[in-house]
Amino acid sequence: MSANVYTIESLLVGKTYHSRTLKGEIISAEKSDVWYADCESYRVQVRPHYSAPLGLKDTYRILAVRIGD
């Protein structure tokens, strides 16, 4: 029996990022050293909806992902 194994990075890519100031698609994700209690942090590249071609308006955000529980 085999199982599909996923990483948090692969699960974040393709998801919609939504905050008060930005809404777009997560293009890439990598582990970050920013500390949050009981969480892992990831630096994500977000391509805003309705952005300029070729990702000229891409921006980066830090996401905290709760681990455990």
Side-chain angles (χ1 to χ4, degrees):
M1 182 168 160
S2 64
N4 295 332
V5 178
Y6 298 96
T7 63
I8 293 174
E9 292 91 341
S10 68
L11 293 173
L12 288 172
V13 172
K15 299 295 183 195
T16 298
Y17 175 88
H18 190 287
S19 71
R20 192 179 52 143
T21 59
L22 176 64
K23 184 173 183 179
E25 180 182 351
I26 297 174
I27 303 301
S28 67
E30 61 185 30
K31 196 149 170 82
S32 170
D33 292 333
V34 177
W35 182 85
Y36 291 93
D38 300 323
C39 294
E40 290 181 355
S41 63
Y42 292 84
R43 180 178 183 252
V44 295
Q45 179 182 2
V46 180
R47 179 160 297 151
H49 293 189
Y50 311 109
S51 69
L54 302 175
L56 297 175
K57 298 286 185 174
D58 289 1
T59 188
Y60 293 86
R61 296 291 193 267
I62 299 292
L63 292 180
V65 177
R66 179 169 283 143
I67 54 173
D69 298 331

